[in-house]
Amino acid sequence: MDIRFEPSRGLVGELTAPADKSISHRAALLGAMAAEPVRIENYLHSADTDSTLAAIQALGALVQERDGVITVRGTGLREAREPGGPIDVGNAGTLMRLLPGWLAAQEGRSFTLDGDESIRRRPVDRIAEPLRLMGARVDARDGRFAPFTVHGDRLHSISYELPVASAQVKSCILLAALAADGATTVGEPARSRDHTERMLLRAGVSIHRNGKHVTVVNADELVLDRVIVPGDPSSAAFAIAACVLVPGSRLLIHGLGANWTRTGFLRILRRMRGIVVGDLESESGELLAEEPICDLDIAYGSLEGTYVDPEEVPLAIDELPLVALLGCFAEGETLVRGASELRVKESDRIETVVEGLRGLGADIEATGDGFAVTGTGGLRGGVIDAAGDHRLAMMGAVAGLASREGVTVRGMQAADVSYPGFVEDIRALSR
Ligand code: S3P
């Protein structure tokens, strides 16, 4: 589906951010693993998170929805049912990487996971290796791609250092560790989002963090009761970027997740002199249980280029395409380093962002592990192909609103995997 976004005369108004995708996936999965029913309020209904609800039902969980509240009646930690056929993860990388952690602990049962064309290009060896070390077997196509089969077994605890910071891989190990025989420790080279840790803490699990290491002790059961999903900072980031780039804009965003591990983009934006007012969580030495929320007040303003260093990358990983876009409008150079993970997202986001923005008139170069943008005061506009990648589609739309001539996005429907209603929301705010 091609959609055209004409230059905007300002985005003005209020927006309730769509529900958080990462937290929705985790709430459904932990609900399926829990001993008692879990009520989930404000669950995100998108293609990705609907895949998770379908997957847990195939594994024996009951899912009911009434008045916008989802109740999951799970099977418990060790009683997932073997489904009749492969589990379809669709386009959802988070589901594909987290679910095997639970499945690995299902002794004597096997589970095959498969998904769409894009998911079949995304590596799973990063979870297969630690799960094998814990005692499960994972057979993947060419050793590293879907379709792959997880053969559940009795698991042992491990100490594991992640080669790259990834909340998905960390979470997979933490879920497997719940049914292992002792305490498992996972270390990462840089902090990544910690929603799994917070939710496990709320579910009564013994879990703690020491710097970049998390240790979890095996558990008999999870008791979670109720999860309220906050607004997704990565989805709201598109409206936020449009607001800071289009002269005359002023937006209030309500109910946004303020977890420090998810607000790296807002810190980068503030460093670029973007006007962002709100009560964001500060960095904490210890593991917190709650997911704080805040309101944000954003306004248009001129920007300066910045340097995003490798430690910041996991804290803003899904928003880095927007950092590139902001860089096109900022004064000076914007440089992102240590972001080779972008190459294994829904598309190779270093290539697709650089090619896409260059096609709209940007002065941008790919580097091995990121990109360098030189601000030229704006963007001409043109046509951008979403390459089946939701974040690229939404970046293209924002580029159109802020451009001189407008942008046509090819494949805008990709946005539905994380933000159904994006086009309507952005049009309602734009003058
Ligand atoms: C996610 C973690 C990130 C992120 C993805 C969602 C999660 O992936 O890009 O959109 O919910 O854990 P990695 O942890 O693989 O970087």
Side-chain angles (χ1 to χ4, degrees), residues 296-310:
L296 283 187
D297 191 345
I298 331 269
Y300 164 77
S302 55
L303 301 177
E304 270 176 18
T306 193
Y307 169 59
V308 175
D309 78 62

Side-chain angles (χ1 to χ4, degrees), residues 343 350-351 354-355 358 364-372:
R343 295 205 182 273
I350 294 183
E351 287 310 313
V354 168
E355 289 305 311
R358 201 180 273 154
I364 179 167
E365 298 289 333
T367 61
D369 66 350
F371 38 75

Side-chain angles (χ1 to χ4, degrees), residues 20-23 25-26 48 93-95 97-98 122 126 165-171 192-193 195-196 234 262 314 317-318 341 344-346 349 390-391:
D20 193 286
K21 180 156 83 81
S22 290
I23 297 177
H25 281 304
R26 285 159 173 79
D48 269 14
T94 303
L95 174 59
R97 268 63 170 270
L98 264 64
R122 302 183 65 188
R126 48 184 60 198
S166 162
Q168 294 180 349
V169 182
K170 173 181 63 176
S171 299
S192 65
R193 66 190 68 188
H195 304 304
T196 306
S234 308
R262 287 297 297 286
I317 185 78
D318 294 330
E341 273 301 282
V344 290
K345 294 297 176 190
E346 286 80 336
R349 280 193 189 145
H390 55 133
R391 304 215 193 264

Side-chain angles (χ1 to χ4, degrees), residues 61 72 87 157 212 233 249 254 272 282 289 299 309 314 317 324 334 382 386 398 402 429-430:
V72 180
I87 297 170
S157 51
K212 291 172 186 158
S249 297
H254 299 293
M272 296 178 87
S282 10
D309 78 62
I317 185 78
T334 296
V398 175
L429 295 170
S430 180

